Amino acid sequence: MLKRSLLLMALMIGFTSTLSAEEQEVQNTQQEKEKKTIELPQWVKNIKFSGYGMLQYIGQDPEGNHSNTFNLRLARFILDGKIGDFDWRAQIQGTNATGPGQPTVQLVDLYAEWRRYPEFKIRAGQFKRCFTFENPTHPITQGWRGYADVINKLSAFGDRTGERSSGGRDIGIQFSGDLFPNANGRRILHYQVGVYNGEGVNTKDYDNRKDFIAGIWVMPIKGLRIGAFGWTGSRGQMVDPNLTDPVTGEAKTRSVEKNRYCLSIEYDLNDYTFRGEYVHSQGWGAASPGNNVRAIDYSKGDKADGWYVFGIVPLIKGKLFAKARYQCYRNQKDWETSVNQVECGLNYKFTKNLEIHAEYSHVNDRTLADGKHNYNLVDVELDFRF
């Protein structure tokens, strides 16, 4: 009996030892796995990569200057993220539509925005100026071969003051918010105020005078916005041919004023989009807008204005859209310097990330020689997102 008991105890001890060794091995394996697994912080998990490309064919027939070409209109690569109550964005652009002193690849957006409260948000960095409804619109969603001329010239795309083409952007800080929610929670008043260098993208303030831009709009019914904007500022170190150094004879530089306002209305709901804006500018322009030029051209006057109206409506819901636009830009706020365009076309969405835009434009450019004011333009674009 004693031998049996001793044998049973030895077997139990051996079995227990085997279990302990196996448990220890499992535990060691788990610890090794935990060591190999690196837990990423939440802000890294929140980073999203996206982008889009716009491929273009454009043909036009001004007398004596016919042209047609394929064009890589635009490519952008975007990183979006979130850190606590802050959203951030970094966006790089590549384009062949450049001017003197402008890189083919450049940083266009780099900003962070504190968004804890819808009533009061703060954005700092490089981003869209808070001027006009059309300026911040995505270039694909905007639906046309380009932004209206008045937006290009007076909202810092190819600006009248000659600053480099900046897609309506500048470096600064902006405060904005949405107020007065109705019974359905839809807020009916939006405001935004921005302070900027006034020189465009990736450029310091040359005259230490900041641009101030403010906008406000009301949304009385769903889909409808009625707004107004004001802008006062300057562009520094503009070469003035009327001011010369008495010793060297070289032209001196000075700041050029920018005083602008815009009146806007838009209805955008259920695939129907209608928008109209009028923009007025006071301040001397440069010899070549949007090409990083700093020479004042007094012959072009110190006032300019323009407007556009357009409609985009669905023919097949979510797929096929018809569009029409009228626009006018007057470089000296008179009809002799006006460029008028009547446009129509179709947009077709293959998927939510792939669409084609086609349009015809009849152009009446009164800055051209007599008898050569009118010409035709055809544009086709293939746009994709990823």
Side-chain angles (χ1 to χ4, degrees), residues 52 54 73-74 76 91 93 128 134-147 157 169 355 357 381 383 385:
Y52 57 92
M54 305 180 76
R73 178 182 165 191
L74 198 63
R76 285 185 178 159
Q91 182 173 200
Q93 171 180 289
K128 288 277 192 175
E134 182 149 311
N135 182 3
T137 307
H138 192 289
I140 295 179
T141 304
Q142 189 261 351
W144 295 91
R145 61 183 171 85
Y147 296 87
F157 284 76
R169 294 168 171 84
E355 56 191 272
H357 298 175
E381 292 187 12
D383 303 329
R385 313 174 195 239

Side-chain angles (χ1 to χ4, degrees), residues 9-23:
M9 290 178 63
L11 290 171
M12 292 178 64
I13 291 171
F15 181 70
T16 304
S17 299
T18 301
L19 287 176
S20 298
E22 290 177 353
E23 289 174 355

